[in-house]
Amino acid sequence: MVLALYGADPDPQDALKAAIAEAPAAARAELPKDVKVKACGALGIDETKVSYWRVRQGFAWYFDLGAQDPDFDAGNVVIIARGADGAWKSKP
């Protein structure tokens, strides 16, 4: 599994927009329907694996979970940071 974080301040879509701008794209409607699509570069659509984007905690998160859908809940993944008081807690 690969998890990549991209800064999302001030615009949470900055990393996504940059990846889209750099990637060559092909219209899905023009491709054969019986072929799994891989388009828009390494962080784009890839129908051969489970991958997706989430925006939370001030970051754009890219999850690449491989060829099989694992028993994994991305909603439980959080960034833990040490506060000014020295205690560890979930970043808002």
Side-chain angles (χ1 to χ4, degrees):
M1 175 175 78
V2 174
L3 172 64
L5 292 177
Y6 299 87
D9 185 29
D11 182 357
Q13 295 183 351
D14 276 348
L16 301 174
K17 290 175 183 174
I20 290 169
E22 294 174 6
R28 177 65 172 124
E30 297 175 9
L31 299 173
K33 302 297 184 226
D34 60 342
V35 175
K36 292 186 177 185
V37 174
K38 291 175 78 171
C40 299
L43 303 177
I45 187 170
D46 185 345
E47 295 178 345
T48 67
K49 64 182 181 180
V50 178
S51 61
Y52 50 89
W53 287 89
R54 288 186 58 136
V55 176
R56 61 189 302 208
Q57 292 185 287
F59 292 92
W61 303 57
Y62 177 72
F63 292 84
D64 182 345
L65 305 178
Q68 295 182 346
D69 192 1
D71 185 15
F72 177 80
D73 181 5
N76 290 328
V77 177
V78 297
I79 295 174
I80 304 296
R82 189 183 304 246
D85 62 357
W88 291 94
K89 56 187 166 188
S90 175
K91 182 181 180 320

